[in-house]
């Protein structure tokens, strides 16, 4: 095919497919090129998020959480269960079914919006031109466009000391696909993936040891939240070792010996599987020919300004491959903003209100600044917090764990950040994002009626606590 489009989108993840749909909604003749295939080798839209990221991990988190509850929490409700077992193959099939229905849903949305889809690997060459090659490296298409949106996403970082063998040493994709519960798992990195996938296999019965290079646990989160989360994870049996640097990995007869240093000493752990979860890097290798003019930084991130404009006019880049957090909703928001800018509107992204959620149990969620960040910036603030243990709903749910903390500007009372650890906080954070988006004060939330009994009452009480007037705790 050789054709001219208004917009060529490279990448069909939450950055690219959302940008393509918004472009089509705005009347632009749009094509999206994506190279992802599913386990059956078929093209599969949705990128990392739908295929091997957000969705399959949440499917397994939910299945394993049900199993954990059955074993550990039902008795408190007076419900006796015996001979509980888990069918891993069925659990994995359920996950695959969810992925398949969502990825094929994107293909249907493309059809409905008259977006052309090309399966293959795209490369940007000079003159706003994009070439596409198939799996055999054969050139299949040459496209030109007024605008190009780059959304190639990211891939897992591989450690030189322990290259993936995709069997016993795996990345997050491998860790989503284990067909049996390993007896002992070593996870390198106590970040988001290490904690979420560590939780899955820990709940299903593996002994999980997480080796984290840094001395601080969840350093970017509110430190009180990190402390409470660490306490809860320890109770669940997750063995998190901070300041641990892996030195060597040796495999013999299916057993892996991890040698790591912690403090002055060397230690060893023997495990059956290793999951490496030490971050992700931009997937920009082979994407840009040197003459296309788009610049990348030393780590391969595509350089963009605040509006996602690259170094070349009318070539834009969004999502994991550009600066900022590697989150699906951040990618999609950038995709929408770029589409609207291209169509002559005004794209808007508020980077101060990007929510973070870690889907462990208890869940962790936050938006805005932490107390530590505000102190460093010299901003004066007040904060108030409220424990879930003092809410009727959390008690009724047998989950009286964690708290909500709200931080507001000392002079203006404008909300600067909200930090939570506890049940379903992934759903509670939305209210706080909206409040910050509307530049609300803590008083605005304190004066908002929250239904009783709900978990959201903890948000209400945290807002009241900023003024030291929470009702259901001593201020
Ligand atoms: P991607 O989703 O990576 O999509 C990029 C697409 O472009 C891919 O399909 C890729 O094959 C394709 N591509 C790349 N180069 C080319 C090329 N040259 N030609 C054609 N196609 C190309 N984020 C959250 O917000 N919430 C979560 O709960 C969450 N959970 C996660 C769990 C795991 C295990 C992982 C790994 C990630 C998770 N993330 C989560 C992160 C989230 O998946 C990413 O932030 C998001 O997918 C980024 O979207 P994107 O569109 O920028 O890139
Ligand atoms: P991460 O950046 O969250 O955590 C990586 C961890 O590995 C860090 O704590 C780091 O200090 C540690 N580390 C780095 N090198 C190490 C080494 N050699 N030895 C021991 N520890 C080492 O990265 P991730 O967990 O791989 O996740 C990648 C990205 O995917 C995240 O940044 C996140 O944006 C995204 N993600 C989001 C969600 C979510 O939103 N719920 C879920 C999964 C992934």
């Amino acid at each position: 095919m050789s054709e001219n489009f208004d917009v060529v989108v490279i990448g069909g993840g939450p950055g690219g497919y959302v940008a393509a749909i918004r472009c089509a909604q705005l009347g632009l003749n749009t094509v999206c090129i994506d190279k992802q295939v599913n386990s059956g080798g078929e093209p599969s839209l949705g990128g990392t998020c739908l295929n091997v990221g957000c969705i399959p991990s949440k499917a397994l988190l939910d299945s394993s959480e049900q199993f954990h509850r059955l074993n550990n929490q039902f008795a408190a409700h007076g419900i006796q269960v015996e001979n509980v077992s888990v069918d891993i193959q069925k659990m994995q099939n359920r996950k695959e079914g969810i992925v398949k229905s969502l990825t094929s849903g994107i293909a249907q949305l493309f059809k409905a919006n008259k977006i052309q889809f090309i399966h293959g690997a795209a490369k940007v060459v000079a003159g706003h031109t994009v070439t596409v090659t198939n799996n055999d490296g054969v050139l299949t298409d040459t496209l030109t466009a007024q605008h190009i949106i780059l959304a190639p996403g990211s891939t897992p970082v591989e450690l030189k000391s322990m290259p993936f063998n995709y069997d016993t040493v795996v990345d997050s994709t491998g860790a989503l696909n284990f067909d049996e519960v390993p007896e002992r798992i070593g996870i390198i990195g106590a970040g988001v993936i290490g904690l979420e996938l560590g939780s899955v296999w820990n709940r299903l019965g593996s002994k999980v040891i997480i080796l984290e290079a840094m001395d601080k646990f969840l350093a970017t989160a509110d430190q009180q939240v990190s402390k409470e989360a660490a306490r809860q994870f320890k109770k669940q049996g997750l063995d998190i070792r901070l300041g641990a640097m892996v030195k060597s990995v040796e495999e013999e007869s299916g057993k892996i010996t991890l040698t790591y240093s912690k403090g002055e000493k060397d230690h060893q752990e023997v495990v059956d599987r290793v999951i490496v979860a030490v971050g992700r890097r931009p997937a920009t290798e082979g994407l840009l020919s040197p003459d296309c003019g788009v610049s990348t930084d030393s780590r391969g991130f595509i350089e963009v300004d605040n509006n996602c404009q690259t170094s070349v006019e009318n070539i834009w880049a969004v999502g994991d491959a550009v600066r900022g957090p590697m989150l699906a909703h951040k990618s999609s928001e950038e995709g929408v903003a770029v589409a609207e800018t291209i169509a002559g509107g005004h794209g808007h992204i508020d980077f101060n209100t990007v929510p973070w959620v870690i889907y462990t149990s208890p869940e962790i969620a936050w938006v805005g600044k932490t107390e530590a960040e505000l102190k460093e910036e010299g901003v004066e603030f007040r904060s108030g917090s409220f424990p879930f243990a003092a809410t009727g709903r959390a008690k009724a749910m047998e989950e009286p764990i964690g708290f909500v903390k709200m931080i507001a500007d000392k002079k203006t009372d404008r909300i600067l950040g909200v930090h939570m650890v506890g049940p379903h906080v992934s759903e509670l954070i939305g209210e706080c994002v909206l409040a910050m988006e509307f530049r609300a004060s803590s008083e605005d939330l304190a004066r908002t009626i929250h239904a009783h009994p709900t978990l959201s009452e903890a948000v209400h009480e945290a807002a009241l606590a900023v003024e030291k007037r929470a009702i259901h705790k001593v201020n």
Side-chain angles (χ1 to χ4, degrees):
M1 185 205 285
S2 176
E3 225 179 296
N4 189 12
F5 289 88
D6 293 331
V7 185
V8 171
V9 180
I10 299 178
Y17 86 72
V18 169
I21 292 175
R22 190 69 190 120
C23 283
Q25 285 174 345
L26 292 164
L28 299 163
N29 180 20
T30 305
V31 60
C32 179
I33 307 158
D34 187 88
K35 63 181 180 186
Q36 180 93 29
V37 289
N38 61 19
S39 49
E42 299 154 344
S44 187
L45 281 161
T48 303
C49 172
L50 266 58
N51 287 284
V52 290
C54 320
I55 299 304
S57 60
K58 267 76 243 176
L60 291 187
L61 276 158
D62 208 75
S63 297
S64 59
E65 176 70 5
Q66 311 273 13
F67 182 63
H68 177 80
R69 287 234 173 101
L70 205 61
N71 283 316
N72 298 283
Q73 284 179 8
F74 273 35
H77 292 268
I79 303 168
Q80 309 294 335
V81 278
E82 278 163 26
N83 301 326
V84 180
S85 66
V86 58
D87 180 339
I88 296 293
Q89 200 48 57
K90 204 163 178 184
M91 189 181 287
Q92 292 289 17
N93 290 347
R94 186 189 89 96
K95 177 201 79 183
E96 290 302 320
I98 295 164
V99 168
K100 182 107 194 177
S101 84
L102 290 174
T103 54
S104 54
I106 306 295
Q108 281 163 16
L109 284 172
F110 272 17
K111 269 196 195 121
N113 283 285
K114 302 194 171 37
I115 296 163
Q116 282 205 43
F117 167 55
I118 299 175
H119 176 66
K123 186 177 202 136
V124 185
V125 297
H128 279 80
T129 301
V130 173
T131 60
V132 187
T133 49
N134 66 14
N135 289 346
D136 302 321
V138 177
L139 180 73
T140 54
D141 301 280
T142 303
L143 315 170
T144 50
Q146 303 293 313
H147 294 269
I148 299 171
I149 303 177
L150 307 172
S154 62
T155 52
V157 167
E158 186 166 19
L159 290 176
K160 275 203 185 102
S161 58
M162 55 185 103
F164 301 126
N165 61 22
Y166 302 102
D167 176 22
T168 49
V169 181
V170 299
D171 58 11
S172 54
T173 303
L176 288 167
N177 289 327
F178 290 155
D179 53 11
E180 56 182 22
V181 181
E183 214 170 293
R184 293 173 69 80
I185 302 179
I187 299 184
I188 317 300
V192 196
I193 292 179
L195 292 173
E196 289 188 355
L197 296 183
S199 294
V200 166
W201 294 107
N202 177 54
R203 290 168 191 165
L204 295 173
S206 299
K207 168 71 197 162
V208 175
I209 299 148
I210 307 185
L211 303 177
E212 165 60 47
M214 283 177 56
D215 290 320
K216 240 181 178 176
F217 178 61
L218 281 180
T220 52
D222 171 271
Q223 280 312 289
Q224 239 178 306
V225 166
S226 309
K227 218 169 147 187
E228 174 62 8
R231 205 168 69 86
Q232 297 298 337
F233 297 154
K234 194 173 175 188
K235 268 199 208 165
Q236 291 161 21
L238 277 179
D239 183 348
I240 302 169
R241 302 182 191 171
L242 301 178
M245 291 300 297
V246 177
K247 294 171 92 175
S248 68
V249 183
E250 276 167 39
E251 185 166 356
E252 208 182 305
S253 317
K255 294 280 176 197
I256 302 165
T257 304
L258 289 169
T259 304
Y260 67 96
S261 64
K262 184 169 159 56
E264 305 281 284
K265 287 193 187 143
D266 280 359
H267 306 263
Q268 286 193 329
E269 274 299 335
V270 179
V271 295
D272 302 285
R273 291 276 197 284
V274 176
I275 303 170
V276 180
V278 294
R280 296 177 61 85
R281 61 182 175 80
T284 44
E285 268 170 37
L287 173 71
L288 306 164
S289 84
D291 60 358
C292 79
V294 175
S295 57
T296 54
D297 70 14
S298 57
R299 294 183 301 156
F301 285 94
I302 301 166
E303 290 181 317
V304 288
D305 65 15
N306 276 344
N307 301 315
C308 298
Q309 167 78 60
T310 68
S311 49
V312 179
E313 206 182 344
N314 295 345
I315 301 188
W316 313 81
V318 302
D320 280 10
V322 305
R323 46 84 193 108
M326 289 182 164
L327 296 172
H329 41 282
K330 176 264 192 184
S331 302
S332 299
E333 216 43 43
E334 287 181 331
V336 168
V338 166
E340 291 182 350
T341 305
I342 288 173
H346 180 71
H348 166 77
I349 310 154
D350 186 352
F351 290 104
N352 292 318
T353 55
V354 177
W356 273 88
V357 177
I358 305 177
Y359 297 82
T360 44
S361 180
E363 292 183 340
I364 299 166
W366 73 89
V367 58
K369 298 275 169 80
T370 60
E371 287 175 332
E373 283 170 327
L374 291 169
K375 272 184 197 149
E376 209 174 296
E377 290 170 17
V379 178
E380 290 194 305
F381 61 85
R382 296 183 303 169
S383 66
S385 62
F386 192 80
F388 282 104
T391 72
R393 188 65 190 276
K395 274 202 183 303
M397 291 165 63
E398 197 60 31
E399 288 189 72
I401 287 169
F403 61 90
V404 176
K405 180 196 278 186
M406 189 171 293
I407 308 170
D409 187 282
K410 194 171 178 185
K411 285 193 204 87
T412 65
D413 193 36
R414 185 169 154 184
I415 300 170
L416 302 174
V418 187
H419 305 266
M420 314 177 178
V421 53
H424 300 292
V425 296
S426 56
E427 301 296 339
L428 298 185
I429 199 70
E431 172 185 2
C432 304
V433 176
L434 187 70
M436 285 185 66
E437 195 61 44
F438 281 111
R439 313 284 187 264
S441 61
S442 79
E443 188 188 353
D444 289 327
L445 271 194
R447 289 188 182 280
T448 303
I449 302 171
H450 289 71
H452 174 75
T454 59
L455 296 173
S456 72
E457 286 173 299
V459 176
H460 185 219
E461 290 267 18
L464 287 164
V466 173
E467 281 265 341
K468 301 217 178 315
R469 61 187 189 99
I471 302 293
H472 295 94
K473 75 163 200 177
V474 179
N475 290 287

